[in-house]
Amino acid sequence: MAAANTGRVFQFKLVLLGDSAVGKSSLVLRFVRGQFFEYQESTIGAAFLTQTVALNDTTVKFEIWDTAGLCSDRIWLADQRNTSSASRRQSTGC
Ligand SMILES: Nc1nc2c(ncn2[C@@H]2O[C@H](COP(=O)(O)OP(=O)(O)OP(=O)(O)O)[C@@H](O)[C@H]2O)c(=O)[nH]1
Ligand SMILES: [Mg+2]
C-alpha cells in the first residue's frame, strides 16, 4: 500500500503472541504482503515486519514483531532479554 505523507504520522509497535499454529504469521503476511500460504512454516524466534498505511491525510506506520508460538522459541526469546527463570516462566507461560 502506498502511503501519502501529507499530514499526521502515527507509529505503532505491535507484538503478536499466541499458541503455535493459530495463524499469527498468516495474519501478518496478509496485512503486510497480501499473501497467504496454506503450508506456512512455523516461526523460529521472531520475525519483524513493517507496514505503512495512508488514511486520508494521516499516515500510520506499523512495526510488527511476529513471535513464535512454540514454548521452546518463547523461552529462547525470553533468554534474549536475560530474564530470570521465574520471570521467564511468567512471561512465556512455559
Ligand atoms: N484455512 C485457514 N488456514 C489458516 C488461516 N490462518 C492460518 N492458517 C494456516 O494455519 C497454519 C498455521 O499458521 P501460522 O500463520 O504459521 O501460525 P502461527 O501462529 O504463526 O504459528 P507459529 O509460528 O508456530 O507460532 C498454516 O498452515 C496456515 O496456512 C486461516 O485463516 N484459514
Ligand atoms: Mg508464525
Side-chain angles (χ1 to χ4, degrees):
M1 272 176 254
N5 192 9
T6 55
R8 295 176 301 175
V9 178
F10 293 96
Q11 192 160 329
F12 296 98
K13 296 181 192 296
L14 304 179
V15 180
L16 277 100
L17 304 169
D19 288 342
S20 187
V22 296
K24 300 181 297 297
S25 298
S26 298
L27 190 70
V28 174
L29 278 177
R30 173 68 85 188
F31 179 55
V32 171
R33 299 186 190 145
Q35 296 175 327
F36 174 76
F37 299 105
E38 193 172 344
Y39 300 102
Q40 173 69 37
E41 287 185 7
S42 198
T43 305
I44 298 170
F48 179 73
L49 300 95
T50 61
Q51 175 62 294
T52 302
V53 179
L55 297 170
N56 300 320
D57 65 341
T58 301
T59 300
V60 186
K61 296 180 178 178
F62 296 95
E63 295 181 353
I64 308 165
W65 284 100
D66 170 28
T67 69
L70 290 174
C71 265
S72 55
D73 284 309
R74 279 191 256 166
I75 289 170
W76 178 87
L77 271 178
D79 284 346
Q80 303 311 299
R81 300 193 302 264
N82 293 319
T83 54
S84 68
S85 58
S87 64
R88 185 177 77 178
R89 269 194 302 278
Q90 192 176 27
S91 65
T92 62
C94 298

